Amino acid sequence: MVSPNLTPQKLVILDRDGVINHDSDAYIKSLAEWIPYPSAISAIARLTQAGFTVAVATNQSGIARGYYDEATLRAMHERLKMLVAAEGGHIAHIAYCPHGPDDQCDCRKPLPGLLTDIQQKLELSSLQNSWMVGDSLRDLQAGEAVGCRSVLVKTGKGEKTLAKGSGLEHALVYADLTAFVDDLLADKLG
């Protein structure tokens, strides 16, 4: 259900692996390997309770590579939704790209297809001034392509992204999702 009071400014879009849960260079291939950051689950719930809408945009090329199937991915996402709900929060929509890097789709970040999917599902006229939180440059590039404000977290691949330093001119940098949510809810980000 779409909130009638939803505005782009009250939307926070999160990358999944490295932001919400631990990441792995070997891919997160099973429900057992999907290990959330407890503080991230709480942060999502706090956002919801403060009137923000939370969505997730995640590349899942492990499906195209044959490492896991869509049923396994659904199980991970159901667990995520359940954990967030148990803390009083809600995830409005999870958009994912099942394609590999050579599939020439329009949804794989850094392309903005996942974000426009979220925009359509949430019935927003634009994503201008929404928040895009990620741990890689491609997350930020996808968000910036549709007018989102960029947040890089240092969890997951965030430290490596920060060390490269390119493409971060417009990004706010935080230790993790909780630190960003603390500032956002304290109204420190305008």
Side-chain angles (χ1 to χ4, degrees):
M1 182 174 96
V2 178
S3 166
N5 300 321
L6 177 60
T7 64
Q9 296 81 2
K10 295 293 262 183
L11 174 63
V12 178
I13 303 169
L14 306 174
D15 175 47
R16 193 191 81 170
D17 300 333
V19 175
I20 298 172
N21 56 275
H22 293 271
D23 200 357
S24 169
D25 289 336
Y27 297 84
I28 307 299
K29 301 178 292 298
S30 68
L31 188 55
E33 292 177 8
W34 186 82
I35 302 168
Y37 299 122
S39 63
I41 301 299
S42 298
I44 294 168
R46 288 173 47 223
L47 280 170
T48 303
Q49 293 161 2
F52 283 85
T53 297
V54 178
V56 176
T58 179
N59 286 352
Q60 293 295 322
S61 68
I63 293 172
R65 298 171 200 268
Y67 298 154
Y68 53 93
D69 58 21
E70 294 201 43
T72 300
L73 183 66
R74 268 193 306 280
M76 292 181 224
H77 290 169
E78 288 306 314
R79 169 79 52 84
L80 169 59
K81 290 176 183 177
M82 182 192 73
L83 291 171
V84 170
E87 294 210 23
H90 176 71
I91 295 177
H93 182 61
I94 299 176
Y96 67 91
C97 171
H99 306 109
D102 300 324
D103 288 346
Q104 310 211 333
C105 65
D106 64 358
C107 51
R108 183 174 168 79
K109 293 178 289 182
L111 297 174
L114 293 176
L115 282 76
T116 55
D117 177 59
I118 290 168
Q119 177 185 338
Q120 291 167 359
K121 289 282 192 275
L122 299 182
E123 301 174 5
L124 288 168
S125 58
S126 85
L127 294 176
Q128 191 71 38
N129 293 319
S130 295
W131 294 98
M132 178 67 215
V133 182
D135 67 330
S136 71
L137 183 58
R138 68 179 170 217
D139 298 324
L140 308 184
Q141 290 169 328
E144 289 172 6
V146 293
C148 291
R149 294 176 279 182
S150 300
V151 176
L152 177 72
V153 292
K154 294 181 185 180
T155 50
K157 294 178 176 66
E159 287 283 2
K160 289 180 186 174
T161 303
L162 188 59
K164 290 179 186 171
S166 63
L168 303 177
E169 300 80 17
H170 304 292
L172 300 174
V173 179
Y174 282 92
D176 59 14
L177 180 59
T178 299
F180 162 67
V181 169
D182 288 346
D183 274 5
L184 184 62
L185 297 185
D187 209 19
K188 293 182 180 178
L189 304 178

